[in-house]
Amino acid sequence: MSATVPMDPSKNTLKLENTEKRDALIKIEKRYQAQWQKSEVFQSDAPTTAEVPVSSVSRTELRDKYPKYYGTFAYPYMNGTLHAGHSFTASKVEFTAGFARMEGKRVLFPLGFHCTGMPIKACADKLVEDVRRFGQNFERYKEEEESATNGGAEPVPIQAQTKDDVTKFTSKKSKANAKTVKLKYQFQIMLALGIPKDQIYKFADASYWLHYFPNLCKEDLNSFGARIDWRRSMVTTDANPYYDAFVRWQMNRLKELDKIQYGVRYTVYSPKDGQPCMDHDRAEGEGIAPQDYTALKLMVKEWSPKAAELIKGKIPEHANVYFVPATLRPETMYGQTCCFVGPKITYGVFEVSKNEYYVVTKRAAWNMAFQGTFFDSKHFPRAESELEAVVELWGSSVVGTLVSAPLSIHTEGVRVLPMDSVLPTKGTGVVTSVPSDSPDDYATVKDLAKKAEYYGIKKEWAELEIPPIIETPSYGNLTAKFLVETMKINSPKDAKQLAEAKDLAYKEGYYKGTMLIGDFKGQPVEVAKPKVKEALIKSGQAFEYAEPNGHVLSRSGDECVVAYLGQWFLNYGENDPEWRQTTLDYVSNDLESYSPETRNGFRKNLEWLNRWACARTYGLGSKLPWDPKFLVESLSDSTIYMSYYTISHFLHSDNFGTKPGKFKIKPEQMIDEVWDYIFCRRELNDDLLKDCGIPRTELESMRREFEYWYPLDMRVSGKDLIPNHLTFFLYVHLALFPREFWPRGIRANGHLLLNGDKMSKSTGNFLTLNDAVNKYGADATRIAMADAGDGVEDPNFEETVANSSILRLFTLKEWIEDVVKDSSLRTSASNGFWDKLFENEMNALVLEAKQHYEATNYKLALKSALYDFTSCRDFYREATSAVGISMHRALITRYIELQALLLTPIAPHWADYIWQEVLEKPTTVQVALWPTVSAPDATLSAAREYVRSTSSAITSAEAGQLKRQAKGKTITFDPKRPKKLTIFAATAYPAWQDKYVDIVRDEFEKSGLGNDKELVTRVAKVAGKDTKKAMPFVQQLKKRLTQGGEPPQAVFERKSAFDEVATLAEMVPGLRRTTGCVAVEVVVVDEGGHVGTVVAVGGKDGEGGARKEGLPPSAEGAVPGHPGFHFANVE
């Protein structure tokens, strides 16, 4: 495919053939979407101050009198269109908002557009270069040029091994790790987004993105049927002066609270961009943080012959040269016996000063360049060409060099030795060896000593004494030796076992070890470690070093480093323990997290998260009020914008604040004190009214809007935002707002799979929201979203579900349209047996669906509201047809009403069509309330379940006989001749069951049957060899008590919840039709099952009241609720 032709990212998704039914449904959807927008049905406001005067009721009383729901999802970033993953997250708010409306609540679901940060600006700058290079429409682009210049360069790999520092929490983000950049030029990426080639050049202006993509986002969500109040939308950055004022207020107040501070610290940094590169600025490496090391200075005492020759004349003779290994375990440096290098790695000798040089990899030196080693913070380099090595050396050439190792007992020096597993992409490429406590080092030095000649070294270099330096309770004082020997590790190539041993050694040493040597002898390692590090640095034998703990690529395509520089940061974490503890307590005790995984994720992150750089110099955003050369970064201007939604429509009526809102307030009137008043941080006085010039009534109206909608009821986001945005969201809300306005709930979801696989444009398994809606229609897409899943595990959007939903909705629509015209429907009193069962089951499903909607379990809600509800209709239709009566018009009308209402949250277009055009209701279903129904009758519910299970059992019994016949076995009847079905029912339980009823009653009274283990033990002890007979009976009792809704008294008194014999009599006509039997009779058996009385007859060959003897074996097994069956031929 040509690189100038748009790719098809959905090429491998499901292909549809016949689309007539889909097209008919989409036509309906478009009609109702237009109606909803015209009627402004999704616009919702707080009770006005005219309706409820200021201070006439408390805030709590206001919300109690006028219930509300306020939900949001993370506003999407405007560098592309929404994909199916965005819409899955949005669907959780959407479905909840729909149900909340039906509960009679005022509902607010707003959405803005995030434009802050580097991505848009970086992409625009790339397009500037693309246009310059290839022309406005890229007419000078040649595909062969790409293949010639691409070079097949692979990104630097992330080292896959045991976590290096067990004392740090690491966030693993599947979505972030999955990000890859597949296309070379930005114009190709724009083509992949579906942008016409002749329009792409316009995006070289960053502001054009802010106008283009928000409109597409709004169109896509409207086509999805989202219940969004678009009056409250905005773009971020100073492109909207009102939002800009809001962000400046937020930052000012956080600084006043000492939550924003200035300091020098390590941060991931883009040399090309000249600023920190935070999570949302990255093309790759989201979630990756600086890894701190102690860089040791191992001074060269004697060069190897090869190295001496290579550096001769290039370094002053009086200068000191240091090999610089980076270690996470400074406390173990007493045990150094050698220093490792990778023999195939290229090292550089870099000048620190005229008298000091470091030997490290170029990658490590480039990181050090931003940490004060080669350049100061005012003169950071932009290109690696600014940092040149004095001389380059192969690792193999320095093997044998003698170096002094700080703290080592080998004061005469240790040798530089080869180690094949040293990585040039991690640390400095130089590794100090401590074989007493590092299994890798121990295995390597043993191998080197064993094969000294092969490695080209002297054996004694690898056989220096290994001193004990740390005592551990599990592994003694030579941890590495113990683990290598007990785990039978034979070679440095036993990577998997060594990784496991390394993890065990590190955890044992750090958490349980005690120092045996040095100034801190006798102290726990956990205490001694920072002291040893401090002493090394103070003595000049080491310095601090940091690098990203994985590969980070900025949006501008720059490989990032770690810089040590002055910056403004939000003081999250351990440096403000009170703030952290308040947030942690709120998460643990008050926040609704919807899942334990989400709550635990917050707890772990709060323990780990530390200061966060909140400003940058490149990109789009709001200027830092007190230091305008900086812009507020994208994860710091997006923490409390949900509060801005509450009043934005008063300020402006367009995204950019160029058109006035409900009030004629100017941006400059929105001073910090006004925001304080709106957000209930202060009260109104004459000075404020004078300073801002905003009328009192307008200020009071804005405050009313905020204090009514806040707190936010539910925030929905992907689980990958727990480590940053969602935690920041909590921190800042708790810092700035009174407690009553703290968020009530956060719902995190997994990353959407498509047809069971990760969504990927490169594999063609990808759908945008627009793709999905065009392909399946809005309601079928929404059904598939609801069906995809509700937990934090990755949900799965199955296209087969969306496709089958088209047929389901269309067929159900047609049936409803036909049945309302059916003149054969009964209109007499609806009190027959089958009518009662139908109405009762509808009532039960209405209540069941409500419970699932309330719990935000939409997959289960969909099952109750659609799948089970249509099955309920099918049962009624088939049952009445089987007994030869028509369905009842009032009940069918009630079914149609309930079906429309139950589906309104998930499939509102279909529901509104049925509501308005079939049922001819005067208003939209969007304002209809959830139906009120009677509590289900346990007797009817039990009878309904009995009918279902008995019908199934009869069918299975007949099928079982036919299978026996097919295998050549003798059966009780000839299926080709007329046959009769006899059903044997028992009205009394066998006496053997009494003792088990007593056990179940006792356990129920003690624990509510919560201790299943105790119940099983007691039953088995009494039953002995009859356990297999007893347990099914006991489990049936338990089910009736815990799931069936029956009163315990009825269960323990051995009374059936319904009249089984009467129910069977009602079933007889239908069973005749469904089984094809010429006769069906019901026989009530006496104790023992050998004699019985005929109580119901359908067809010939039977007489009610007749006694029957010599009953077949199936009669003996009948117990109340579980009849026996017998087929026989008749003449």
Side-chain angles (χ1 to χ4, degrees), residues 99 837-853 860-875 895 898-899 901-903 930-931 933-937 941 944 948:
F99 178 68
L837 288 190
F838 181 42
E839 182 175 22
N840 189 69
E841 186 172 13
M842 286 196 293
N843 291 345
L845 287 171
V846 168
L847 295 175
E848 185 179 285
K850 182 181 181 183
Q851 291 175 345
H852 295 318
Y853 276 126
L860 293 175
L862 177 68
K863 179 178 181 295
S864 301
L866 180 58
Y867 304 141
D868 291 349
F869 210 70
T870 52
S871 294
C872 169
R873 183 272 322 252
D874 293 343
F875 178 85
Y895 161 77
L898 291 175
Q899 182 65 92
L901 291 169
L902 265 61
L903 276 183
W930 187 262
V933 296
S934 301
D937 185 324
S941 295
R944 172 66 180 83
R948 179 185 280 114

Side-chain angles (χ1 to χ4, degrees), residues 47 57 113 134 208 216 307 313 318 348 482 558 583 601 663 691 728 776 807 814 888 893 923 950 959 964 967 1026 1069:
V57 295
F113 309 105
F134 302 121
Y208 189 72
L216 290 185
H318 64 276
F482 179 92
D558 187 33
T583 308
F663 301 147
D691 290 343
F728 301 168
Y776 300 110
L807 179 61
E814 284 201 322
H888 198 281
T893 300
T923 57
T950 302
R964 287 177 57 83
K967 294 178 180 179
D1026 293 328

Side-chain angles (χ1 to χ4, degrees), residues 18-85:
N18 300 316
T19 63
E20 295 85 357
K21 295 179 177 62
R22 177 204 67 184
D23 296 342
L25 292 174
I26 288 178
K27 186 176 181 181
I28 291 170
E29 290 168 354
K30 296 302 181 187
R31 186 160 71 246
Y32 280 93
Q33 287 164 9
Q35 182 189 114
W36 298 337
Q37 293 303 317
K38 183 178 180 181
S39 65
E40 301 177 343
V41 69
F42 304 136
Q43 295 183 8
S44 192
D45 297 298
T48 66
T49 53
E51 293 175 87
V52 182
V54 174
S55 302
S56 63
V57 295
S58 70
R59 296 160 185 155
T60 302
E61 290 170 334
L62 179 69
R63 297 187 208 107
D64 288 343
K65 186 175 181 181
Y66 302 95
K68 64 90 180 181
Y69 166 80
Y70 180 20
T72 65
F73 75 102
Y75 49 19
Y77 198 77
M78 290 295 101
N79 61 343
T81 55
L82 301 183
H83 57 66

Side-chain angles (χ1 to χ4, degrees), residues 675-690:
W675 296 108
D676 286 336
Y677 171 73
I678 292 171
F679 297 141
C680 302
R681 291 168 49 87
R682 62 161 291 165
E683 295 306 318
L684 199 57
N685 59 29
D686 291 340
D687 289 340
L688 177 54
L689 289 169
K690 180 180 178 182

Side-chain angles (χ1 to χ4, degrees), residues 876-916:
Y876 178 59
R877 181 174 58 181
E878 292 161 8
T880 53
S881 174
V883 299
I885 61 174
S886 60
M887 298 181 292
H888 198 281
R889 178 170 294 281
L891 282 176
I892 289 300
T893 300
R894 179 61 170 162
Y895 161 77
I896 296 170
E897 288 179 348
L898 291 175
Q899 182 65 92
L901 291 169
L902 265 61
L903 276 183
T904 293
I906 294 175
H909 310 84
W910 185 93
D912 217 355
Y913 170 81
I914 298 299
W915 191 253
Q916 293 195 60

